[in-house]
C-alpha cells in the first residue's frame, strides 16, 4: 500500500535534514563559528533573500527564540505581495542588491547569509558580492543539486555558491518540489523548511558555544508568555538604534 502523501512528504523532509547534517559538518561548524565570532565582537547577522527565500530573512528577525542581533535585509519589491511575477523579473535585475544594501550598515565583522535555492539570479549574487566588498563574511544557503544543473543570469556568469565565503547546501531537489503526486505533478517544496532549520540550528549552536565561554547573547523570548512582555520591550529598546525595522 502506498504511503499517504503527507507521510511521504514528512519522510522526504527528514531525509533531507539528515543529509544536511551528515554531509557538511565542516561547513556547518564554520558557519557557527563565524556567527559566534560576530556576536562576541558585537556585530550583526544579516539575512537576505528574494521571492520565497525572503521568508528565511523574516524567520530570524525579531523572532521568539532568536537572537536580537539578527537583521533581515528586505526589498518589498521582491517579497511577492506587490506582484509575484513582477518580483520574479526584478530579482534578475542587476544593480538592485546594491541599492537595497545601501539601507544597511554592513561592514567588517558582520555575517551575511544569502538564501537562494537556485542561486542563479542577479539579486542574490550581487548581494553576496556587495556584502563581501564591505568586508562582511558571506554564507550561501542554496541547493547544490539545482545550482549545478543551471546557468547564471548574472553578467559575471557565476552562481551564488561560487561567490560566497561559505556554502550551506539545503539538500533540495532540482526544482525544489520533492514529491510526485497524481500521475506526474511535482509538489512538496523543501527549501524553506530546510533553510529555516539550517539558520536556526547555526544560530542556536553559536549562542550555545558562546555560553560555554561565558559570553551572554540577547535572545528574544515570546512576549505572549505570561509576564514576558516587559522583558521583550526592554530588549527592543536595547536594539532599536541598531536594528532597522524594530
Amino acid at each position: 500500500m502506498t504511503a499517504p502523501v503527507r507521510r511521504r512528504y514528512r519522510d522526504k523532509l527528514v531525509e533531507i535534514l539528515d543529509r544536511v547534517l551528515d554531509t557538511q559538518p565542516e561547513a556547518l561548524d564554520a558557519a557557527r563559528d563565524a556567527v559566534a565570532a560576530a556576536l562576541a565582537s558585537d556585530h550583526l547577522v544579516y539575512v537576505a533573500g528574494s521571492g520565497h527565500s525572503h521568508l528565511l530573512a523574516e524567520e530570524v528577525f525579531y523572532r521568539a527564540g532568536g537572537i536580537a542581533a539578527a537583521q533581515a535585509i528586505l526589498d518589498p519589491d521582491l517579497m511577492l505581495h506587490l506582484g509575484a511575477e513582477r518580483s520574479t523579473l526584478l530579482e534578475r535585475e542587476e544593480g538592485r542588491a546594491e541599492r537595497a544594501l545601501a539601507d544597511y550598515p554592513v561592514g567588517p565583522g558582520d555575517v551575511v547569509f544569502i538564501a537562494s535555492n537556485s542561486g542563479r539570479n542577479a539579486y542574490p549574487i550581487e548581494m553576496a558580492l556587495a556584502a563581501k566588498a564591505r568586508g562582511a563574511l558571506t554564507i550561501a544557503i542554496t541547493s547544490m543539486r539545482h545550482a549545478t544543473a543551471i546557468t547564471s543570469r548574472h553578467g559575471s556568469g557565476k552562481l551564488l555558491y561560487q561567490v560566497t565565503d561559505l556554502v550551506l547546501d539545503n539538500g533540495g531537489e532540482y526544482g525544489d518540489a520533492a514529491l510526485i503526486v497524481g500521475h506526474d505533478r511535482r509538489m512538496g517544496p523543501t527549501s524553506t523548511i530546510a533553510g529555516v532549520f539550517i539558520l536556526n540550528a547555526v544560530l542556536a549552536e553559536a549562542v550555545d558555544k558562546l555560553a560555554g565561554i561565558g559570553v551572554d547573547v540577547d535572545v528574544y523570548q515570546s512576549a505572549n508568555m505570561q509576564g514576558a512582555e516587559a522583558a521583550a520591550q526592554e530588549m527592543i529598546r536595547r536594539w532599536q538604534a541598531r536594528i532597522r525595522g524594530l
Side-chain angles (χ1 to χ4, degrees), residues 14-90:
V14 171
E15 173 192 322
I16 286 172
L17 297 185
D18 284 347
R19 188 161 67 241
V20 164
L21 294 178
D22 293 343
T23 63
Q24 50 190 336
E26 295 87 0
L28 290 165
D29 286 352
R32 174 203 63 205
D33 293 346
V35 169
L39 297 177
S41 57
D42 198 31
H43 289 91
L44 298 183
V45 176
Y46 293 84
V47 184
S50 58
H52 284 93
S53 292
H54 92 271
L55 294 170
L56 274 65
E58 290 202 76
E59 167 65 20
V60 303
F61 178 63
Y62 184 49
R63 183 70 162 92
I67 60 171
Q71 175 71 74
I73 299 174
L74 299 174
D75 181 340
D77 286 331
L78 304 182
M79 292 171 61
L80 303 179
H81 64 291
L82 297 181
E85 184 181 19
R86 176 173 176 266
S87 73
T88 293
L89 297 175
L90 290 178

Side-chain angles (χ1 to χ4, degrees), residues 135-177:
L137 185 140
T138 57
I139 304 175
I141 300 179
T142 192
S143 165
M144 290 303 295
R145 287 188 182 184
H146 195 124
T148 55
I150 44 110
T151 57
S152 175
R153 287 195 176 110
H154 185 248
S156 68
K158 293 185 177 181
L159 294 135
L160 176 62
Y161 79 91
Q162 296 172 316
V163 299
T164 54
D165 297 299
L166 297 172
V167 178
L168 298 177
D169 183 3
N170 68 24
E173 303 285 347
Y174 175 66
D176 202 6

Side-chain angles (χ1 to χ4, degrees), residues 59-139:
E59 167 65 20
V60 303
F61 178 63
Y62 184 49
R63 183 70 162 92
I67 60 171
Q71 175 71 74
I73 299 174
L74 299 174
D75 181 340
D77 286 331
L78 304 182
M79 292 171 61
L80 303 179
H81 64 291
L82 297 181
E85 184 181 19
R86 176 173 176 266
S87 73
T88 293
L89 297 175
L90 290 178
E91 69 181 348
R92 302 174 186 178
E93 181 183 282
E94 297 193 16
R96 190 166 197 94
E98 187 69 52
R99 294 195 297 274
L101 201 57
D103 290 330
Y104 301 89
V106 172
D110 294 326
V111 173
V112 182
F113 288 88
I114 305 100
S116 174
N117 194 61
S118 70
R120 74 182 306 201
N121 290 313
Y123 183 81
I125 295 165
E126 291 190 345
M127 181 61 68
L129 293 171
K132 284 181 74 171
R134 287 162 170 76
L137 185 140
T138 57
I139 304 175

Side-chain angles (χ1 to χ4, degrees), residues 187-203:
M187 297 184 71
T190 64
S191 61
T192 301
I193 294 172
V196 165
F197 169 76
I198 289 168
L199 272 172
N200 281 322
V202 167
L203 296 180

